[in-house]
Amino acid sequence: MNLGHVIGSVWATRKDPSLEGKRMLLVQPLDFDGALRGGPIAALDTVDAGVGDTVIFVTSAEAAIPFKPENDLTATDATIVGVVDEVSRPPSE
Amino acid sequence: MNLGHVIGSVWATRKDPSLEGKRMLLVQPLDFDGALRGGPIAALDTVDAGVGDTVIFVTSAEAAIPFKPENDLTATDATIVGVVDEVSRPPSE
Amino acid sequence: MNLGHVIGSVWATRKDPSLEGKRMLLVQPLDFDGALRGGPIAALDTVDAGVGDTVIFVTSAEAAIPFKPENDLTATDATIVGVVDEVSRPPSE
Amino acid sequence: MNLGHVIGSVWATRKDPSLEGKRMLLVQPLDFDGALRGGPIAALDTVDAGVGDTVIFVTSAEAAIPFKPENDLTATDATIVGVVDEVSRPPSE
Amino acid sequence: MNLGHVIGSVWATRKDPSLEGKRMLLVQPLDFDGALRGGPIAALDTVDAGVGDTVIFVTSAEAAIPFKPENDLTATDATIVGVVDEVSRPPSE
């Protein structure tokens, strides 16, 4: 699972019916050290994330899981599944 | 989900039966800043996209979803699922 | 979907039963500009492609689709699904 | 399957229901030579791994498998599936 | 499908039940020219491969296929599916 920062929205009127009524957010992937990791991607939202939130998103076939039972009808390969509160990382010995 | 620009078409007479009657477009992947990201790929079309359109496409197993209920018969790993109207990106604070 | 050039064959006598009787070809991935993209991979053949053919191949879970209804029994992650006739690319405006 | 080192935890109160009650660990991917491979990722835990453990984790669609029979409800793309005791590597001839 | 060289074994006592009784081998991915491609990975074995064998392995969701009918219970994303006898590559014209 990947860490990212919500930085915007993507709008598409003409789209696959499975995507109707779902929010598509622009997410900047981050390293867990806070550094940028590649360029922004578009991801569906399932947790009411907003611009400025730090989120966990999944990619590939798992991205359709939050839309169950209709999930085989949702054409997504990136979905936000949590808003991160904290990453705890004890000092290594 | 990825952003791309439709730049052409791919023609194949001899192909898997699941691809018969489906349009295969040539798509140049883009960063959300508009920069090119790698080289062009071939993607199936589901939204009547044309050369010059900016599109959202999905890759991997999700790419077969728009072809439901026949989707287990469609051998694709990249499919266009929306035509992008706008990417809104509020200035970061 | 990816473009490639068939450049050889891979032979394996001892293999998973799902691969028995299927041809495994050596494919050099190409950019749509004709440049090489990484090194050769092995892909199953579904369209009677031969050495010298330019082909479209799919990767990941979709690669098992052409082998339906037996597809959950075919252990492949790269399959040739079409022989390319032409890539048309209108000059950009 | 990949090798990693558990280095911390990720906390998210607001998350997809499929992730409720599951531990999300921060894992540093490693080469089998012990060198770091890219930056840390978040992975679900199935084997009670803890900070300091060397683990095997799977990614992509397989990552939901350990959560069967509820697995289509678990939105994960990285899961720890074993704690490594030893990697044996005979000297090459 | 990818080419690799079996170079060792991975031992894990505490692991996901789906992996019990299955051999986990250490595989060095190779180019079809014999050059190393990245670092070693762990892969399940289905063809009684041993250290020194040149093998074909699949990755991602397909990797569970050889374990059918129990395959949705096997948490693997890399599986050896054949022992390579020969790669034939006619000289290009």
Side-chain angles (χ1 to χ4, degrees):
Chain A
M1 289 177 287
N2 312 289
L3 195 70
H5 206 73
V6 180
I7 60 170
S9 304
V10 179
W11 305 94
T13 309
R14 183 143 50 102
K15 59 187 168 186
D16 188 77
S18 72
L19 300 176
E20 298 291 346
K22 301 203 169 76
R23 299 172 65 217
M24 216 183 287
L25 296 176
L26 193 63
V27 176
Q28 169 62 55
L30 298 175
D31 278 344
F32 280 89
D33 298 318
L36 308 189
R37 201 180 58 194
I41 59 149
L44 290 194
D45 177 38
T46 67
V47 292
D48 258 321
V51 170
D53 279 344
T54 298
V55 295
I56 287 283
F57 65 96
V58 294
T59 57
S60 192
E62 301 70 31
I65 291 175
F67 300 103
K68 281 247 153 194
E70 79 222 89
N71 76 338
D72 355 59
L73 298 174
T74 305
T76 180
D77 60 5
T79 301
I80 296 169
V81 296
V83 176
V84 174
D85 300 322
E86 191 197 331
V87 176
S88 75
R89 200 166 164 171
S92 55
E93 301 151 47
Chain B
M1 289 177 286
N2 312 289
L3 195 70
H5 206 72
V6 180
I7 59 169
S9 304
V10 180
W11 305 95
T13 310
R14 183 145 50 102
K15 59 188 169 186
D16 188 75
S18 72
L19 300 176
E20 297 291 346
K22 300 203 171 74
R23 298 171 66 217
M24 216 184 288
L25 296 177
L26 193 63
V27 175
Q28 169 61 55
L30 298 175
D31 278 345
F32 281 88
D33 298 319
L36 308 189
R37 201 180 59 194
I41 59 149
L44 289 195
D45 177 37
T46 68
V47 293
D48 257 320
V51 169
D53 280 343
T54 299
V55 296
I56 288 283
F57 65 95
V58 294
T59 57
S60 192
E62 301 71 32
I65 291 175
F67 301 102
K68 280 245 153 197
E70 78 221 91
N71 76 338
D72 356 59
L73 298 174
T74 305
T76 180
D77 60 6
T79 300
I80 297 170
V81 296
V83 176
V84 174
D85 300 322
E86 191 196 332
V87 176
S88 76
R89 200 166 163 171
S92 55
E93 302 153 46
Chain C
M1 288 177 286
N2 312 288
L3 194 70
H5 205 73
V6 180
I7 60 170
S9 305
V10 180
W11 305 94
T13 309
R14 183 145 49 102
K15 59 188 167 184
D16 188 76
S18 71
L19 300 176
E20 297 290 347
K22 301 203 170 75
R23 298 172 65 217
M24 216 183 289
L25 297 177
L26 193 64
V27 176
Q28 168 62 56
L30 298 175
D31 279 344
F32 280 89
D33 298 318
L36 307 190
R37 201 179 60 195
I41 59 148
L44 289 195
D45 177 37
T46 68
V47 293
D48 258 321
V51 170
D53 280 343
T54 299
V55 295
I56 288 283
F57 65 96
V58 295
T59 57
S60 192
E62 301 70 32
I65 291 176
F67 301 102
K68 280 246 155 198
E70 77 221 91
N71 77 337
D72 356 59
L73 298 174
T74 305
T76 180
D77 59 6
T79 300
I80 296 170
V81 296
V83 176
V84 174
D85 300 321
E86 190 197 332
V87 176
S88 75
R89 201 167 162 171
S92 56
E93 302 153 44
Chain D
M1 288 178 288
N2 312 287
L3 195 70
H5 206 72
V6 180
I7 60 170
S9 304
V10 180
W11 305 94
T13 310
R14 183 146 48 102
K15 59 186 169 186
D16 188 76
S18 72
L19 300 176
E20 297 291 347
K22 300 202 170 76
R23 300 171 64 216
M24 215 183 291
L25 297 176
L26 193 63
V27 176
Q28 169 62 55
L30 299 175
D31 278 345
F32 280 89
D33 299 319
L36 307 189
R37 200 179 60 193
I41 60 150
L44 289 195
D45 177 37
T46 68
V47 291
D48 258 321
V51 170
D53 280 342
T54 299
V55 295
I56 288 282
F57 66 96
V58 294
T59 56
S60 192
E62 300 71 31
I65 291 176
F67 300 103
K68 281 246 155 196
E70 79 221 90
N71 76 338
D72 355 58
L73 298 174
T74 305
T76 180
D77 59 7
T79 300
I80 297 169
V81 296
V83 177
V84 174
D85 300 322
E86 191 198 330
V87 176
S88 74
R89 200 168 164 170
S92 54
E93 301 152 47
Chain E
M1 289 178 288
N2 311 288
L3 194 71
H5 206 73
V6 180
I7 60 170
S9 304
V10 180
W11 305 95
T13 309
R14 183 145 49 101
K15 59 187 169 186
D16 188 76
S18 72
L19 300 176
E20 297 291 346
K22 300 202 171 76
R23 299 172 64 217
M24 215 183 290
L25 297 177
L26 193 63
V27 176
Q28 169 62 55
L30 298 175
D31 279 344
F32 280 89
D33 299 319
L36 307 190
R37 200 179 61 194
I41 60 149
L44 289 194
D45 177 38
T46 69
V47 292
D48 258 321
V51 170
D53 279 343
T54 299
V55 295
I56 288 282
F57 65 96
V58 294
T59 57
S60 193
E62 299 71 33
I65 291 176
F67 301 103
K68 281 244 154 200
E70 78 221 90
N71 76 337
D72 354 60
L73 298 174
T74 305
T76 179
D77 60 6
T79 299
I80 296 170
V81 296
V83 176
V84 174
D85 300 321
E86 190 197 332
V87 175
S88 75
R89 201 168 163 170
S92 55
E93 302 152 47

